[in-house]
Amino acid sequence: MNATPITDNNKSLEDELLDLLASQARKVMIPAFVVSATIASFAAPFVPKPHWIAWLVAVFLILLTRRIVIPLLATTTTIKRRDRLNIIVLLSFLHGSIQGYSLTFFPQMGILQQSMHSMLMAGLCMAAVVTSGGYLPFFLAFVLPIMLPLSILWITSLGGSGLTQLDVGVALSIFLFFAVLVSVARDTYQQFRKSHEDRRKLREAMDSKTRFLATASHDLRQPMQALSASIETLDHHALDDSARSIVTDLHTAKEDLSDLLRALLDISRLDAGVEDLEKTDFSLYRLLFAVADEQEPGARDKGLELKFDCPENAAAHTNPTQLKRIVSNLVENAVRYTASGSVQIRCGIKGDRNCIEIADTGIGIARQDLDTIFEDFHQLGGPARSHKRTGLGLGLSIVRRLVGQLGLELDIESEPGRGSVFSVSVPKATKTRRAKPENTGIPFEFPGLRVVVVDDEADVATALQKMLQSIGCSVRTADGTETVLGLVQQQVPDVLLVDRRLKDGDDGLLLIDKVRQIFPALPAVLISGDTAPDRILEAKNAGIPALVKPAGLEEIKRSIAQACS
């Protein structure tokens, strides 16, 4: 299967119609001119040359005008949508009138040429159903100046010596054809509207789900931050072996819960479109080896063999961070649903692409479930359900989003009871760039650092205060803008650590801005459990280091060092 990227499109019905008309205006210019040139060739033996040449030039000019003007109208914002549509309808009427003018050639042409001319005119009108999207004002503005004169010409027998039964039959057929076209156009536009409405409802459902995830994530992250800070504080105290063992277990439980919350954050960030997707060349061997190294302990704990097979010169061109997330999620999923046997990470080359395969000897997936496994919160049943932790069913949902946004290809082969193979196709690198080692050190002195922690939940603020005090910081707490403004004027802090969502509609980002009006460039770090896409984007655009709760001590230290550097 190929994963489809999630896209966000909040256009109105009129906007989508304008886009359609613009797209069709670009596409139909050459075909419509070819039809007109064919009509001119039929008329040439019977009509004076200047007459049909002038008409053909007029057709070209109106088609060129539509080709230029309609796309511009679709993108401009200085003219109301309804006025733009009216201008496009006027252009459609001019186009139809110019095409209809060719019917003045009719009386001078032979019966064969008249018949061919009529069929070509009918073909243009039939094509207008599609090119107009069934939008009746546009459709009728083009069709009426053609079909009405054409039917009159046949019924009045202007093309021959007298009215015949054939002429009447052709005229009635044109009338019936016109009625059918109007009916089809009306149905086409109704389908266009229904499609727009369906997409709107889908967007609303996606937005509602994303808001729910963000809100639920925020409410869970607040107590998690207090718990995390308290555990970190305990870590800096002298403990006996028994107490140290308990703290270690608390760390493990906290990390498990943090992983689940992180999955919720990933969904929000991907739907918000704020993830870094910049592509580069890198060593695929080193990336896959790192994944295998990270996942091996989990596989070993379950008694599974984790196999690795990749050429050392394998290199890829995509975003390495997001590809690692894809492969890690697939391997974690394979380990989770494999009770015995092995999980393999292997890589081969097919043409100009690398083929990464994650194979397992797990429970397998039924054919009817191959698509549904990528839905949010979908979990497979089977033996793995009895294990300690099965996740939220978001791992493959995240994989689907990332594969779509990176333009990669994802395929699955699976047999219930025998295992599964997930394949990710990734472009090869043009040349391999040696990765630079990351500097993970924190060259910054924390003892004596003056910090103001801002959080409207007292237990969270107190826990953060104690955690920072355990490394020698001087910490004061505040619950909102007014309190902070009072504190900073008493003593200027070295850095602010500010929650994003505060009580009574107070906002951490605005708080930082108000403080900086008094003390410009005062270092600040945002820390929040709010993962709403718009909030994430605002924090990113503000250029302030931002953490997501629950944040550990090392994360907070890194962000403070970054803000103060």
Side-chain angles (χ1 to χ4, degrees), residues 191-206:
Q191 287 298 317
F192 180 77
R193 291 186 62 176
K194 183 178 183 299
S195 175
H196 169 80
E197 185 66 17
D198 290 343
R199 288 193 297 274
R200 183 188 64 79
K201 290 179 179 178
L202 177 61
R203 289 194 299 270
E204 288 179 353
M206 289 293 295

Side-chain angles (χ1 to χ4, degrees), residues 36-342:
S36 300
T38 305
I39 292 173
S41 70
F42 290 147
F46 307 96
V47 179
K49 188 174 183 179
H51 195 173
W52 64 263
I53 287 181
W55 171 77
L56 196 58
V57 170
V59 170
F60 176 78
L61 290 177
I62 188 62
L63 288 172
L64 181 61
T65 301
R66 293 174 74 256
R67 171 65 178 79
I68 296 172
V69 173
I70 294 180
L72 289 176
L73 289 172
T75 56
T76 187
T77 56
T78 58
I79 305 175
K80 293 180 179 179
R81 295 185 185 93
R82 181 53 54 184
D83 292 338
R84 285 183 274 160
L85 284 172
N86 289 338
I87 294 171
I88 293 174
V89 170
L90 176 61
L91 289 174
S92 181
F93 175 74
L94 291 174
H95 183 205
S97 298
I98 292 172
Q99 292 287 3
Y101 184 78
S102 67
L103 295 174
T104 59
F105 307 157
F106 227 65
Q108 305 168 59
M109 296 165 65
I111 186 64
L112 176 61
Q113 288 75 21
Q114 289 175 348
S115 300
M116 295 300 296
H117 191 169
S118 299
M119 285 190 289
L120 290 173
M121 289 284 100
L124 284 175
C125 293
M126 188 163 55
V129 174
V130 177
T131 59
S132 67
Y135 180 53
L136 280 180
F138 182 94
F139 173 74
L140 292 175
F142 175 76
V143 170
L144 281 175
I146 296 175
M147 298 296 282
L148 188 59
L150 183 60
S151 59
I152 292 174
L153 280 171
W154 278 100
I155 204 166
T156 57
S157 191
L158 290 179
S161 56
L163 184 64
T164 66
Q165 188 174 2
L166 176 63
D167 296 333
V168 175
V170 172
L172 289 176
S173 297
I174 292 171
F175 273 119
L176 290 173
F177 183 65
F178 172 70
V180 170
L181 287 183
V182 171
S183 176
V184 173
R186 186 180 291 110
D187 291 344
T188 300
Y189 187 66
Q190 290 300 321
Q191 287 298 317
F192 180 77
R193 291 186 62 176
K194 183 178 183 299
S195 175
H196 169 80
E197 185 66 17
D198 290 343
R199 288 193 297 274
R200 183 188 64 79
K201 290 179 179 178
L202 177 61
R203 289 194 299 270
E204 288 179 353
M206 289 293 295
D207 291 344
S208 177
K209 182 206 68 177
T210 301
R211 285 193 299 271
F212 167 76
L213 288 176
T215 301
S217 177
H218 174 270
D219 292 343
L220 289 170
R221 287 173 189 277
Q222 289 294 94
M224 272 298 298
Q225 181 61 62
L227 175 63
S228 177
S230 298
I231 295 172
E232 296 279 3
T233 303
L234 281 174
D235 234 0
H236 286 78
H237 284 71
L239 303 172
D240 58 30
D241 291 342
S242 177
R244 179 64 61 187
S245 176
I246 293 173
V247 171
T248 301
D249 290 342
L250 286 173
H251 267 299
T252 302
K254 185 257 297 183
E255 288 302 318
D256 286 348
L257 185 53
S258 294
D259 288 343
L260 299 182
L261 292 176
R262 195 172 295 114
L264 293 174
L265 172 64
D266 287 342
I267 293 290
S268 293
R269 291 182 63 87
L270 288 169
D271 287 347
V274 298
E275 288 287 9
D276 176 21
L277 299 178
E278 183 179 354
K279 299 179 181 179
T280 186
D281 291 347
F282 59 93
S283 169
L284 185 57
Y285 171 83
R286 292 172 63 182
L287 183 146
L288 295 179
F289 185 86
V291 173
D293 189 55
E294 292 169 5
Q295 299 295 330
E296 197 275 334
R300 185 176 62 249
D301 288 346
K302 289 188 64 177
L304 303 175
E305 181 182 5
L306 183 61
K307 300 178 180 179
F308 177 76
D309 181 18
C310 178
E312 291 190 11
N313 63 346
H317 181 82
T318 186
N319 184 285
T321 301
Q322 308 304 351
L323 178 63
K324 187 177 180 182
R325 290 171 69 187
I326 290 171
V327 177
S328 294
N329 278 359
L330 291 175
V331 176
E332 285 179 7
N333 214 58
V335 171
R336 178 176 297 133
Y337 289 103
T338 301
S340 62
S342 65

Side-chain angles (χ1 to χ4, degrees), residues 393-450:
L394 290 173
L396 291 181
S397 176
I398 292 169
V399 166
R400 174 177 63 88
R401 284 169 166 85
L402 285 172
V403 165
Q405 292 185 14
L406 290 173
L408 307 180
E409 296 174 3
L410 176 65
D411 292 306
I412 315 170
E413 293 181 5
S414 187
E415 185 177 343
R418 296 181 64 87
S420 307
V421 179
F422 285 77
S423 303
V424 183
S425 178
V426 185
K428 289 170 59 179
T430 53
K431 64 176 182 177
T432 307
R433 295 181 180 177
R434 190 174 185 83
K436 297 180 180 179
E438 293 184 1
N439 180 15
T440 57
I442 306 172
F444 192 80
E445 295 296 326
F446 285 89
L449 186 73
R450 297 188 301 271

Side-chain angles (χ1 to χ4, degrees), residues 461-473:
T462 301
L464 287 169
Q465 181 184 34
K466 291 179 178 179
M467 181 177 70
L468 291 171
Q469 286 174 339
S470 72
I471 58 171
C473 295

